[in-house]
Amino acid sequence: MIKKITDNVYQFDPGMVNCFVIDDSGSITLIDTGFTGSEEKIFKGLAGIGRKPTDIKQIILTHLHPDHSGAAAAIQNMLHIPVYASYKDGELIKQGIGMRESMIRMPGLISWLVFNLVLKKAPKVIQPVNDIIDLADGQILPILSGLKVIYTPGHSAGHISLLLEKQQVLIAADICMNTNGLDYSILYEDVPLAKQTLKNISKYNFDIGCFGHGKPLMTNANEKMSKKFS
Ligand SMILES: [Zn+2]
């Protein structure tokens, strides 16, 4: 089921991850794509808001992990649309690499359980995406009234978050999660860098925060994240 975040922003789960849809007068931007094979579920999600696959005009990948970038190649091949990502993660996605080796698991029982029951077995390769357009830090894409790219490294070196400045919606992706309350993600490539990223994000204006895993924070997201990660 697709969940409405604002009039133009939707969240849905094609399986163990959230993808986001920005609907700009019928022109769809898909943010993240789920695991390989998720395309049909994504199209079903879109049908829930009366849109069809060919309404997708571009894909933005927040980072390389297989639960986010897995179906990008299939959708690109089908629709011949541009795929955007940061250079650092995009270079690996082009090679079909869905994860860097050096992931560190955060402490805690939930983290241990999720890692051992789910993540350890998850695929680490993806179908390579042939063509990726690099996104720069601070770049503003002409989507709705402007979608700002914010480099948020730590979970992965090339991780990005996306901010709809006018709507004050932050698509934070995996800088943290909100599955069982707001918390650190299970895995990071670089924990100190990820912690710095979580502090830096508080300088941006947003009221709604959306994550790759768990529920969105529909009010005072900046305040809640600042409090949790200060
Ligand atoms: Zn991830």
Side-chain angles (χ1 to χ4, degrees), residues 63 65 67-68 155 159 174 213:
H63 62 296
H65 292 159
D67 49 342
H68 297 257
H155 179 67
H159 190 285
D174 286 1
H213 304 279

Side-chain angles (χ1 to χ4, degrees), residues 68-139:
H68 297 257
S69 64
I75 298 171
Q76 186 184 46
N77 292 341
M78 214 178 287
L79 301 173
H80 308 288
I81 51 172
V83 176
Y84 295 86
S86 75
Y87 174 78
K88 275 192 181 168
D89 277 18
E91 280 303 290
L92 298 186
I93 297 167
K94 281 187 212 167
Q95 299 171 55
I97 299 169
M99 195 169 285
R100 292 183 180 84
E101 290 296 328
S102 54
M103 299 294 288
I104 296 146
R105 185 178 64 77
M106 295 301 276
L109 179 63
I110 290 174
S111 159
W112 187 90
L113 285 171
V114 174
F115 179 77
N116 282 288
L117 298 178
V118 183
L119 298 178
K120 233 159 87 172
K121 298 177 224 155
K124 292 180 179 57
V125 292
I126 50 169
Q127 193 185 341
V129 178
N130 291 327
D131 211 4
I132 297 183
I133 302 169
D134 297 340
L135 291 172
D137 187 29
Q139 186 175 344

Side-chain angles (χ1 to χ4, degrees), residues 21 50 54 69 91 93 109 126 151 170 183 194 199 211 219 223:
V21 163
T54 50
S69 64
E91 280 303 290
I93 297 167
L109 179 63
I126 50 169
Y151 277 19
L170 178 75
D183 210 338
K199 289 196 176 98
F211 312 99
T219 55
E223 202 184 307

